[in-house]
Structure formats: C-alpha cells, structure tokens
Amino acid sequence: MNFFKINWIFLLLFTLLIACKDITNGEPEVSEASIESKPWIYWWWMGSSVTPEGITQNLEYFHSSGIGGVHIIPIYGVQNDTVQIDFLSSKWNDLFIYTLKEARRLNMAVDLSGGTGWPYGGAGIEAKNASRKLVIETKEITGVKLINIDLLRNTPDIEIVQVFAENKKRKLINISQYVINGKLKWKAPQGKITLHILRSEPTYQQVKRAAPGGIGLVLDHFNKESVQFYLKRFDSLFLKIKNDSLPFRCLYNDSYEVFNANWSHGFEQAFIERIGYSFNEKCYLLIQQTAFDSAIRFSYDLRLTLGTLLEENFAQTWSNYAHMLGIQTRYQAHGSPANILDLYANSDYPETECFGSSRFKIPGVRYDSTYPIEKSWKPEPLVMKFASSAANFNEKKLVSSETGTWLAEHFNVSLAQIKPQIDELFINGINHIFYHGSTYSETREAWPGRLFYASTNFGQTSHFSRELPFLNRYISNCQTILQKAYPDNDLLIYFPYHDILNSASGIQPIQLDVHHPQQWLLESSCGKLVSLLNMNGYTWDYISDQQLNNIISIKKGLIQAPGGMYKAILVPASKYMPLQTMQQFQKLKELGAAILFIDALPQKVPGLLNYKVKEDSLRILNKKIVKTKLRDINESLKKLNIPQEELALRGLQFIRKRNTDGQVYFISNLQNRFTESWITLESKTNTAEFYNPLTEQKGIARSEKLPGKLRVFMQLEAGQSIIIQTYTNKIKDTQWEYRYPSCSEYFIKGPWQVIFNDKDSLCPPDTDIMQLKDLCSIKGDSLYKYYNGRISYKNIFKIAKRNINTNGYRIDLGDVRETARVTINGRLIGTAWCVPYELIIKPNIIKEENQIEIEVSTLSANRIRWFDLNKIPWKKFEDINFVNIQYQSFDASKWKPRPIGLLGPIRLIPLIGVSDE
C-alpha cells in the first residue's frame, strides 16, 4: 500500500535527534519516533462490541502513551452484552474502516488477525474444508467367515484410506479392494482376524476464543483450495481499504495451534509428487513396526510432506493473497509441524512469542512466587533467534514479538519486570515490540473494565498506565536505532531439522513450539552448540536446508546471503541429513566457504526412497569432511579469524549490528556480574559513542585503538542497558559523563508525612511514619491493605554546608513498590520506574535544608483482592471468562496483601567529577 511505502522510506531516513537530557525529568513524553519504531499493542475486541466513540477514546489513549499501532483481534464477548457484532458483517466492516481512519488521523496504523480467536477457521468452514486427521482403528474379529461392515458408520466426512487384515501369524493383507462405498465385504480365513482401518476424518477442532461471526471449525491449513476459500471472504473489505489508501498494514497469523491434524484431501497425490512413491503402498509400516528403521523413515516422509504442504498451501498462499491486495504479513510460525525457519521466511514480519517469565539475576527485580515453573513457562532466547535469523538471512528489516504474555499473575506486573524481558528480546534480534496487550474497554465501564485472561494489562485501566509512556519512549529510542542498523552476525548455524522428524515413528506431527524447547532444541547438539557460542561471545544466525540453497555467492571466503555476509557455517552433530544438503555443503566448501562439522558427521539420509543408494553417496562425501570437537570450538574459530566479543565473557548480553558509520552494540546487564571495566570490542573503528536510551544522554566514550579492535571503558549496573555506536572517523561531541560515587553516603530518614492522593471510599487516612516500610503492615485501619493509587512521601532533611557536594548526587530509592517520582526543593528530579531505582541529582539542587517529595504508584493487586473478598462481580466474560496463572478460576481473596509504598532505604550518594549542564 502507498501509505506503508512512504512510511518505510521515512523509517529508513529517520534520524533521532537526541538531546543531552534526562527523560525521567518532567512528565513522561511521547516519543517523536516513527510509527514502527514505537511499540505496538494487541487490542482485543470482546464480541466486537465496539462503538466509534470508544474506538476513538481507546486510540487516543494509545497515541498519547506513545504507541505506534494496534493489532485488532476479535474474541469472545462479555456476558449479557446485547450489542455484539458479527465479524466481517457490514456493521463490523464499517467500524473497522472507521478505526483505520482514526488511526490515520493520529498517525498510527493497524494490523488485523486473519480471523477471530485462533487458529484460522470459523464461520463458513464446513467439514470438507476443515482440519483433518489420519486415524488407525483396530477391530478384533473371531469366528466370522464373511465380514460385512460399514466402515463409515453412517458418519459423514469420513474417508477410508486403506484397510489391512492381520492373521494369527501376524501377516498383514491389504484388503482395501474389498471396500466399496465405505462398506467392507470380505471372506475371511478361519481364526482370529485383526482389522486395521486407516481412515481420515475431521479433527472437529473449533476455533479457540472465537468471536461472533467467527465460531466454527478450524481450517485445513494443508489444502490450498481450502485456504483460498477461507481468504476469499475478506476480498471486498480489503479491496475497499486498498482503494481508500487507509493505514491497514499487516494481516496476522497466530502461532500454529492446530492439534492432531496430519491429513488433507488429496494427500496421497501430494505425497507421491513430493516424496516419489505411494503413501498407500507403504502405510502398512504405520501398523507393524517390526522393520523399525523403515517405519521411522516412512513416518519422516509423512511429516516432511505435511511441513511442505503447510509452507506451500498455507504460508505462501496466504502471503501471496495479502501482497496482491497491497497488505503485508506478520507470522508466528512457531508451533508448526514444519521447519519454522522456512515458514518465518514467508512473511514480511516474522514474529516470535515472549511467553512467561525469565529469571534474571538482577537485584531488586521481583518474580511471581505462584508462577508455574513446572510448566516451563520461560521465554527461551534460543527460540527467539529463529524469527530473527529468518529475518536477518532474508533481508527483512522488522522482527516482532508478542511480549508480556503471562509475565506474572494478573494485577501484579510492574514495569520493572517488563523492561529486562524487552531487553532480552532486543539482544536476540527483535526490533518491533508488540505488547500483549489491551482489551477494548470504555471509560463508562467500572474498573477494572474488560480484560483478557492471558495477558499483561497495558490498557488504560492498568495500574502503570500513567507511567507507560516512560517504557514506550525507552523502547522507541532503542528500536529507532536497531531498526535502521543491519545484521552483523559472523556465523550461520545449520539447524538439523531432520533429526527431529526422525525422532520417533508414528502418525503424529512434531510441532516446534515455544513452550517445550527442551524437547526439540535445548538438549540437542544444536542447542548445546549455540548455547556455548553465546557464552563465548560469538554472533550467529540459524540456517535451514532450504536457505542453504539461497546463498548468493562466496567471495574471498565470505558467504553472501540475501541479508548480509557471514564468515563460516557450523554444522552441529546430526544423525540424518538429506544428500542434497551435504552436496550443497560440499559445493560451498569448494567455492571457498569455511564449514565446520562439530563432533560427528551424519551417517544416514532421511526418508524411505532409495535411501541405501543415497547413503553410499553420503559416505563418499563424508570422507572429504574434517570434523572439529565441540570442546575445541574456540580454537577452531580462532583459526578462522572469527571474532569473539569480550562482552559475553564479562557477563554482559549484547547484539552487534552495523551501519554506514561502524558497529552498533545494544548491551544489557542481566546477570549482575559486571559493574565497570575496560571492554574490548571487535570493531575496526576509531571512536565509540555511548547512548543511554533510558535517559537519552550521549557522549564520546573513553577509548583506546588496538590493532583491529577498539577498547572502551564502560560502566553498567545490573538491570541497565546502553547502546554503543562506533565510528571509523572521529566525531565531535561532548564527552561521556562517567559518574563515580564517593565513599560517603547519607541516609534520608524519617519522620515521613504519608499522603494518599487518590481519594475514594477505600482510601486510608494520611499518616506519619518514622521508618519506611510496607504500608500494609501498619496496624489499625485495614484500608491500607486495599489501597490502589498514588502515595506521596514528604520529608525535610539537612546536610551540613561543608558537606554539600558540588558535583551532584545519585539518589538510591531502595525497594520501590512500584514507581517513584522524586521532587527536591521544588525541582523535579525524575521518575524511577525500573531497576536500579536510582536517579541523578544535578549540581546546585541539594542545599543545607531540603524538602523532598516522593510520589509512589502501587500495584492494583490489593484492590482486586478487596473485590473478591467482598464478592463484588467483575469477572463478566464469556468462554474462559477469567483464570489465574495456573489456569484455575481466578480468586484474589486468597492472596496475602502485596507490599505497597516506599520501603527504602533511601541513600544520597555524592558523585565525583560530574559536570554541570
């Protein structure tokens, strides 16, 4: 669409004008960054019960908070709501077009799920177009000479694939020719007979969390005609949007959650065309697996066909449809029964999913004690890299992530928990954050409004809604730089997908999901290799068999991919590898590419067709390969002159990118192993500039030029992040302000005047306290345990004139629940909203006698606890209604009160050598 061609050019040309100021000073500001460098947000329309007035109010809140775009997902409705609107009805279409026009007015844009809930399907999908499964049914028959059975059982939509009879000697006989119109008539031999009936039938899976107008069966993703039939219903709406040049950017597909689907109409012919032999002739291997190796190989061929069909008939068909209408695509390929690298490559915006809560070693970052660790709900960086690898290799500028899904229990998430999760995404190549999310809710609805059961609430009823612009501006500052830079990874890591497909026999597909990476990645040779590479500071991307064939050229040993240059390919130990892949490795090696096979060479080719002949050829090729050992990987890569970034060895996590000036490093301290030191960067440049995306401060770093490297002095506390831009040519700029604390420090002690700012019927009385503590621990009035809002702490502290520091101070607020806005002597110092809860006080603010006010914002957990203790109805949603993080009925009445307020201690630390503005 013309709108996005213009917007993309703007993004590429956009230059962030960074003022040397602290953005924590003053009220949160909305970033002036481009639409796509701002964070976007999932926006659920419950029952599509929306109004023009509500749409405008919601969008204006998003815009004022610094959000660049919304992703609309119609889902189930609100109980007793009489104004629900059917998806894609004329009224729904009018409201969607109104949304696009309002987005255009606000300089925002819109993505849309290609259906309601997930996966694709719903209204109009009959059994003939629905997901199907292959079933093997077993029947024992004894003493019957003439078998006369209706195999269809008067059930529609069943297809008989093959029928086998097994005699008492366990010999299989194919009796499919005796099945006519679904009825088996066969004269059986004497004795016990076991029938094995292979049939296909609909899975009857329904669209999950569907909205009105979208309820129904899940689509057959393996069948091109079914996919085209499904997409056709969008034609008239999308053509109108295109003709009106409205800011509709992407059609979206959620993670593949189609279960048990392993069949499609026409599968036999598709199998023959792609594999080279008849499925029906060999499917007896699914029944009798005495020839176990053959059964494994046949199961592989079945799974490979499913993956190929998913890519060709769904991913490519869907993407082509969108492009025909001038729309781009966002694709969560994970969970699919296919090589997700190839599926991600079929979209314009590959998207990963940050589901669950990481455990960063950052002092002060708290985690939900009720979190179901046993469910492995932890975002896995090695999985995030599949989306960014596909983007990097295939020259896709934006890589997105569903962010904040089940980060913690509802009403308990703080901004301090969110920031390191986002930093981890940036480190792993994500540069387009999508909050998960916000539910359409109108201001007339009583708090907490409409809520989605599995998300962090980033909407206007969230307890951190007033501080959200701080996080949004931080993300915009990071993404503006990351989106304009290019990949700069040195290694390609072959993903041994064929070992996964050969891990077991049977008819079940193997789905590469984000929830169980230990089953398909972490314990594999590939997982162990890339984990070791991360620990040792190497930069890399995954590559698939298909992408190996897309390498453009080898020039002076550099591997030219569509998206950039690489220096070597590493091949983890694998048991199975297609002969074509090994031949391609040999071809690339002969052209001058450095290819390292780790620990072992593949001994088998996957699949059943002519495998013995292929394995003879594989063994010949293996003789030309030299292996290296995983334990010797550093030495082997050193011989190839592969750079090893010291950052990782110092406990820092990073991503390195490049631009026309030099390298761009985004660095985050998530492990608490680093404070300050000289660090050597693998950069052949002369100068480094530091930029703090949180405070927007920048300056030239203290540095030393080394042969082929650049050494910089860096300070970074646990939880902090920094961006380094290196320059080949020296630039003129102010020097970076290194801040050194003195040995002395002052504790700001009580008495404190405590004022509760949000007055309502549950507001406790103002009070005075001598020591900072959890206000819920105050004895007497129980209202302290239910307060939700802002709390001001006021105090007067003195410093002897001779001890006043002329270089400024750092104020450490200690334990903050959850954000703190600090004012001293009438000067706003800033808002501390993430760990470390520290702010810089500039010179000449602190005097002999000082008035300090700290305004703290709380969680809303205690207020919802009061709701449930008093049985105040607020859980009013259809379908799943509302559940806790254990997927049980949500009941906050059983919670203990969450700490609120300023717990301290508060330290005032004089600084050495900080210049004034």
Side-chain angles (χ1 to χ4, degrees), residues 22 24 363 692 694-695 716-718 720 739 741 745 809-816 820 822 829-841 905-907 909 911:
D22 190 330
T24 56
N692 186 333
L694 182 67
T695 65
L716 203 66
E717 293 187 58
Q720 291 182 333
R739 290 171 170 138
E745 61 182 31
Y809 297 82
R810 180 166 67 208
I811 185 168
D812 181 345
L813 300 172
D815 191 353
V816 177
V822 181
I829 305 304
T831 298
W833 57 270
C834 59
V835 173
Y837 286 105
E838 297 177 347
L839 297 170
I840 298 299
I841 303 174
I906 299 177
R907 297 183 301 146
I909 306 163
L911 297 173

Side-chain angles (χ1 to χ4, degrees), residues 753-770:
Q753 182 184 4
V754 181
I755 302 167
F756 294 87
N757 297 333
D758 292 306
K759 306 297 184 183
D760 61 16
S761 59
L762 291 179
C763 180
D766 299 340
T767 187
D768 295 326
I769 57 176
M770 288 302 300

Side-chain angles (χ1 to χ4, degrees), residues 354-425:
C354 187
F355 187 107
S357 176
S358 298
R359 294 295 187 267
F360 303 111
K361 297 177 181 178
I362 303 174
V365 175
R366 299 178 302 279
Y367 300 100
D368 191 339
S369 60
T370 66
Y371 208 85
I373 298 298
E374 70 279 2
K375 289 188 176 182
S376 302
W377 282 5
K378 174 185 173 297
E380 178 48 61
L382 299 184
V383 174
M384 298 171 189
K385 289 276 287 185
F386 280 87
S388 61
S389 293
N392 291 344
F393 185 89
N394 294 285
E395 199 176 12
K396 299 176 187 297
K397 296 297 184 183
L398 297 183
V399 194
S400 55
S401 174
E402 173 188 320
T403 305
T405 308
W406 279 129
L407 183 56
E409 185 59 270
H410 296 291
F411 307 99
N412 282 268
V413 178
S414 68
L415 292 179
Q417 289 173 284
I418 298 169
K419 179 183 174 291
Q421 296 286 174
I422 290 172
D423 286 342
E424 185 176 62
L425 287 165

